[in-house]
Amino acid sequence: MPSANVPSEKFTVRHHAQKEFRDILNIVAHGFEGTAQKNRPRLDPFVHYFPTKLGPILDVGCGIGLMIELLTAAGTDAMGIDRDPRHVATAQSHGHRVVRAHAHKYLARRPNEYGGIFLRHVLEHFDGVEGLRLLYLCRKALRPGAVLVVITPNFDVASVRRNMFWLDITHQRPYPLPLLLHIFTTLGFEIVESGCREGEEERDLFIVGRA
């Protein structure tokens, strides 16, 4: 006679396999991010874009919380969201306000809440429609006068186009600067600054808009 525990045993095995694969996916996807020592100086030049008087700053895809650390040190109220439970746990262990969340769902529930939103190497993880939806939800979550900063890989750089971009298997597509400018202006942002980070090997694209 079959054991009554067979269905639950199958569920446990399946659940374990799914969790194991998610853990492997997170490790592979983040395998080429670089160290905190390398990334912290790349983030520091963007701190001054965020005003302290308009309310909290949200770092979407905050990782272990490097930008939150810099914003907090500058006297800004900052928090973050990320989908990787390991990154969330690390950020929380450093005393940062970080929760595990899906960006689209999280932002959709928080209209007019933030004084600024920061996305570094996040947008390229979504296809064109969902990338646009993410920026639209960011716009809705911002207060008047608030700032949105987006940093994304630069496909005009040959080493990025041929190699670096594809080292993260969760990347979906690049977002060229003319497209970002078009999206920002369509969403009603005033363009504060845009361009590429000339001092870096990858020459990341960046755009800063004010709601």
Side-chain angles (χ1 to χ4, degrees):
M1 187 174 192
S3 170
N5 292 328
V6 168
S8 63
E9 290 173 358
K10 287 182 178 180
F11 173 81
T12 300
V13 171
R14 185 167 65 249
H15 178 73
H16 174 75
Q18 290 172 346
K19 181 182 182 303
E20 183 179 50
F21 178 74
R22 285 197 302 269
D23 291 341
I24 292 170
L25 175 60
N26 283 331
I27 293 170
V28 172
H30 297 300
F32 296 88
E33 284 184 342
T35 63
Q37 290 74 20
K38 180 180 180 180
N39 287 320
R40 193 176 283 108
R42 295 179 168 188
L43 297 170
D44 192 57
F46 293 95
V47 172
H48 77 276
Y49 287 110
F50 293 103
T52 59
K53 62 180 183 293
L54 287 176
I57 308 302
L58 177 68
D59 185 355
V60 175
C62 65
I64 62 173
L66 294 181
M67 188 61 171
I68 299 173
E69 171 192 316
L70 294 171
L71 288 167
T72 302
T76 303
D77 180 18
M79 61 172 297
I81 60 173
D82 201 282
R83 295 190 68 179
D84 186 334
R86 297 174 309 127
H87 282 172
V88 170
T90 300
Q92 291 174 342
S93 72
H94 294 157
H96 303 314
R97 285 191 299 142
V98 173
V99 296
R100 186 182 180 192
H102 184 284
H104 293 68
K105 295 178 181 178
Y106 184 91
L107 289 164
R109 297 192 297 267
R110 288 163 175 82
N112 200 41
E113 186 162 325
Y114 296 105
I117 297 178
F118 181 73
L119 297 93
R120 178 181 182 267
H121 288 196
V122 172
L123 190 59
E124 63 274 9
H125 293 268
F126 299 95
D127 65 23
V129 173
E130 291 307 306
L132 175 60
R133 194 188 313 277
L134 175 60
L135 296 179
Y136 168 79
L137 292 170
C138 285
R139 175 66 181 84
K140 291 294 185 180
L142 289 172
R143 298 171 178 174
V147 170
L148 174 64
V149 175
V150 173
I151 305 170
T152 192
N154 186 352
F155 241 49
D156 287 339
V157 177
S159 59
V160 173
R161 185 171 63 251
R162 296 170 183 167
N163 186 4
M164 293 179 184
F165 186 86
W166 307 109
L167 293 176
D168 187 335
I169 61 172
T170 64
H171 282 175
Q172 294 291 318
R173 57 154 295 162
Y175 285 81
L177 189 55
L179 176 58
L180 290 174
L181 289 165
H182 179 53
I183 292 173
F184 267 55
T185 54
T186 301
L187 292 175
F189 284 101
E190 170 196 351
I191 305 301
V192 176
E193 191 174 355
S194 65
C196 66
R197 307 297 309 284
E198 293 289 357
E200 299 175 359
E201 177 188 358
E202 302 91 341
R203 296 171 59 213
D204 278 348
L205 299 176
F206 74 95
I207 183 168
V208 182
R210 181 175 290 111

